Amino acid sequence: MLTEASFEVTTSSLSVVAGGTAEFSVSIKNVGQKPSAENQAITLAGNGVALTGVSLTSAPVGQGLRPAGAALRGAPATTISCTNNSCLLPKVEPGVSISLTVTVTASPDAQGGPSSFEIGNVSYPFAVAVQPGYQNLTLTALDSLGTPDAGPVVAGTAVDMVLAATNAGTSNPGPISLPVQMGDSLIIDSASPDPASGSICEFVGQDLICTPGANGLGNVKLGVFVRTDAAGSASFTARLAGERVVAVTNGVEVTPRVGNQPIEIKGHFGATSVGAATLACSTPPNVTIQTSCRSTSAVQPVAPVAQQLAIPAGSTVAFAELVWAATSGESSAITADFGSGRGPEVLAGDLVPVTGGAGGFIATYRADVTGKLTGSAAVTVTNLASSLTTVVDPDATQSTPPLGAWTLSVIWSDPTSATRMVQYSNLNLGSIPPPAVVGGPPALNGPLTLATGTSSIERAWLSVWGADPWGVKTLRNAGVEVTTYVDGSEAPRLIVGSTPSVQTGFDLVEFSSQANAGNLTLSNQGEFTGLDPANPLAGLWNQDRIWVGPLLIVRNQG
């Protein structure tokens, strides 16, 4: 038998919106043998839900209490005061029930769930359901005129979108957090809230966090890059305060990237390329270095060496493409290891046709590997077949050096970095040299136009496949010669290429800080053979084709 005051507490169901307030009913009955103490405190433990008000809605007249808002003759007024999540209860006689209307306020990050009233160090459990502070979130693409466009977006392109939110009846719904990489499809590069809303958006780590202003969130314009490997329907979620996850109500349809389409994006992006040769040809004795690798040379595979791919910490990979080529042998499938514990995996590539020139003597392939990279990695490629070629380029005067090589180009998004323009194209361009000229000044190949830009070059990487290792290649930017480099030199910076004793038939060149804007062109002079020292002009000038693979350019803001 209970000899002291003891309570039986029952509650109505409680549901409150995060950042808002709600009321619910509580019935408290003294099931003990003695009256309860006057001004006994009642508190609420509610996972972010605080007790902010209690009013007495009913009590027997014999209690000396009155219903809130009503005056009972002879019944003194009773005030229930609340401070800091604690309210003071009136004295309750044995066997008597009182009814309260309780007001609670949920913080924007309230979790809800199991809760309890605490009266006199005794817990009375109940459940609180906390609803998100937003009724819905929407993400809508815009067309080039800034008009909402319900049509699909194209993989490998930049598009503007609008994030909008509808409040769930509360003025303080709390922040919205979107991952920079939304699913496997979109990468958020920039965010611009409507100034009238007073909202603030900032990138924190791998998240975009938008905090509503006094007038709600308003429309937030997002600069988005559609990942190159995205396709089909994509749905997204956002996080609200308290780590609640809510769905973005309308998905996005993505049209796949078509073939080998170039990429040109402007925003907070960066890029890099790495590569390696898989075949080398040593120059045999008594053969001048001007002679291309032939059947008299020793062809040797190059032991695979991991190439260090450096991507800034906190960045998100937006695009990665592996390109490989060989002069002979089956090379449509290779084995690649992208580090990070993934282990080797076989990649099947898509054949990339040569634009301009026959190009039938070299096969080049490409594979989108965006989803295989998450950051810096040690990359190794093996099983890239090649051997000494006996195929003569039908458009040139001599056979092409044997070739086995690969290039990996990566573009990443870093919202905290400077604004840049990044251009990528797997050109696979081939120039057809004119017939050899005997005597007189040598005729040059028609230069290949690689890229046109309206801003200066910050950094660029150029892959040259199968051109004569001893030809003099001249690179011009807006008609101004950048650097004339011969394989084996370090100007501007030869990442991979031939040396005076070893030919690879492949160059990966990096250059930077080019102030001129305009066409980037490459030409190749070939080399003299059969030179008569007594009559230099009588020598034969061999015109070698140029074959250019991937070109990756990072330009200053343009």
Side-chain angles (χ1 to χ4, degrees):
M1 177 180 293
L2 296 173
T3 59
E4 302 294 332
S6 180
F7 293 113
E8 180 181 83
V9 178
T10 58
T11 67
S12 63
S13 60
L14 172 58
S15 177
V16 60
V17 174
T21 60
E23 292 182 345
F24 69 111
S25 299
V26 177
S27 175
I28 297 178
K29 181 179 181 180
N30 185 351
V31 295
Q33 299 297 311
K34 293 183 178 181
S36 64
E38 188 80 30
N39 294 329
Q40 193 166 18
I42 178 173
T43 61
L44 174 63
N47 291 327
V49 180
L51 192 63
T52 54
V54 174
S55 62
L56 185 65
T57 53
S58 68
V61 174
Q63 286 288 297
L65 305 176
R66 70 181 185 192
L72 297 180
R73 180 176 296 179
T78 299
T79 301
I80 297 180
S81 62
C82 298
T83 305
N84 297 329
N85 195 39
S86 177
C87 299
L88 302 180
L89 293 176
K91 180 175 67 174
V92 181
E93 297 291 340
V96 173
S97 296
I98 61 173
S99 296
L100 307 175
T101 297
V102 175
T103 303
V104 297
T105 299
S107 63
D109 59 351
Q111 297 291 319
S115 305
S116 64
F117 283 116
E118 307 287 334
I119 306 176
N121 297 321
V122 179
S123 296
Y124 301 90
F126 67 100
V128 177
V130 178
Q131 306 301 322
Y134 296 93
Q135 287 184 356
N136 58 64
L137 303 176
T138 59
L139 191 64
T140 306
L142 303 178
D143 62 18
S144 58
L145 300 177
T147 303
D149 184 1
V153 295
V154 180
T157 63
V159 62
D160 288 333
M161 294 187 170
V162 169
L163 173 70
T166 302
N167 289 10
T170 173
S171 60
N172 183 23
I176 295 173
S177 177
L178 294 172
V180 169
Q181 179 167 314
M182 298 183 64
D184 295 327
S185 301
L186 306 183
I187 295 176
I188 302 174
D189 178 64
S190 63
S192 303
D194 181 355
S197 69
S199 299
I200 298 175
C201 292
E202 58 181 345
F203 289 94
V204 179
Q206 295 295 309
D207 293 316
L208 170 67
I209 300 177
C210 292
T211 303
N215 298 320
L217 182 69
N219 289 339
V220 179
K221 185 177 180 180
L222 303 178
V224 173
F225 179 73
V226 187
R227 276 180 39 159
T228 55
D229 59 347
S233 298
S235 58
F236 312 105
T237 59
R239 294 194 310 276
L240 305 183
E243 296 300 313
R244 283 185 302 278
V245 177
V246 294
V248 178
T249 56
N250 56 326
V252 174
E253 189 73 21
V254 180
T255 299
R257 181 178 176 224
V258 179
N260 197 33
Q261 292 295 313
I263 294 173
E264 181 173 299
I265 51 176
K266 180 180 176 182
H268 302 90
F269 294 96
T272 191
S273 287
V274 295
T278 61
L279 184 77
C281 179
S282 61
T283 303
N286 303 319
V287 177
T288 63
I289 62 172
Q290 285 83 8
T291 302
S292 294
C293 187
R294 300 292 185 95
S295 58
T296 55
S297 304
V299 179
Q300 299 175 344
V302 176
V305 176
Q307 303 300 311
Q308 298 299 320
L309 178 69
I311 298 175
S315 300
T316 303
V317 175
F319 165 72
E321 184 168 81
L322 183 67
V323 180
W324 62 94
T327 46
S328 62
E330 175 55 48
S331 57
S332 61
I334 59 170
T335 302
D337 188 338
F338 297 98
S340 303
R342 295 180 60 95
E345 50 190 304
V346 176
L347 295 179
D350 297 324
L351 182 66
V352 184
V354 176
T355 302
F361 55 93
I362 298 179
T364 181
Y365 297 87
R366 56 172 289 270
D368 191 310
V369 294
T370 304
K372 301 180 184 299
L373 291 166
T374 57
S376 297
V379 181
T380 306
V381 174
T382 57
N383 294 335
L384 176 53
S386 186
S387 61
L388 184 64
T389 180
T390 57
V391 178
V392 176
D393 179 356
D395 302 316
T397 58
Q398 61 183 25
S399 61
T400 296
L403 164 68
W406 60 269
T407 297
L408 173 64
S409 300
V410 181
I411 301 174
W412 63 78
S413 171
D414 179 4
T416 63
S417 67
T419 301
R420 299 179 176 90
M421 175 183 287
V422 179
Q423 297 170 299
Y424 173 82
S425 54
N426 186 2
L427 298 166
N428 225 28
L429 289 174
S431 71
I432 303 175
V437 176
V438 179
L444 297 177
N445 286 336
L448 293 177
T449 298
L450 306 179
T452 300
T454 58
S455 57
S456 59
I457 294 175
E458 179 179 315
R459 193 168 295 275
W461 295 262
L462 174 64
S463 298
V464 182
W465 314 93
D468 185 344
W470 307 112
V472 179
K473 307 171 189 72
T474 304
L475 190 67
R476 290 180 174 85
N477 181 25
V480 178
E481 186 171 325
V482 175
T483 301
T484 299
Y485 60 92
V486 180
D487 295 40
S489 71
E490 291 297 328
R493 187 167 88 88
L494 189 65
I495 300 176
V496 178
S498 300
T499 66
S501 61
V502 176
Q503 298 178 21
T504 64
F506 167 67
D507 292 326
L508 175 57
V509 181
E510 176 185 1
F511 57 97
S512 60
S513 302
Q514 303 301 318
N516 300 302
N519 283 350
L520 187 66
T521 60
L522 178 70
S523 59
N524 187 26
Q525 288 180 302
E527 83 284 342
F528 280 111
T529 60
L531 180 64
D532 181 355
N535 184 8
L537 294 182
L540 178 66
W541 188 275
N542 286 329
Q543 298 297 316
D544 298 313
R545 67 178 296 126
I546 311 169
W547 193 40
V548 179
L551 172 65
L552 179 62
I553 301 177
V554 178
R555 295 185 183 272
N556 298 319
Q557 182 175 351

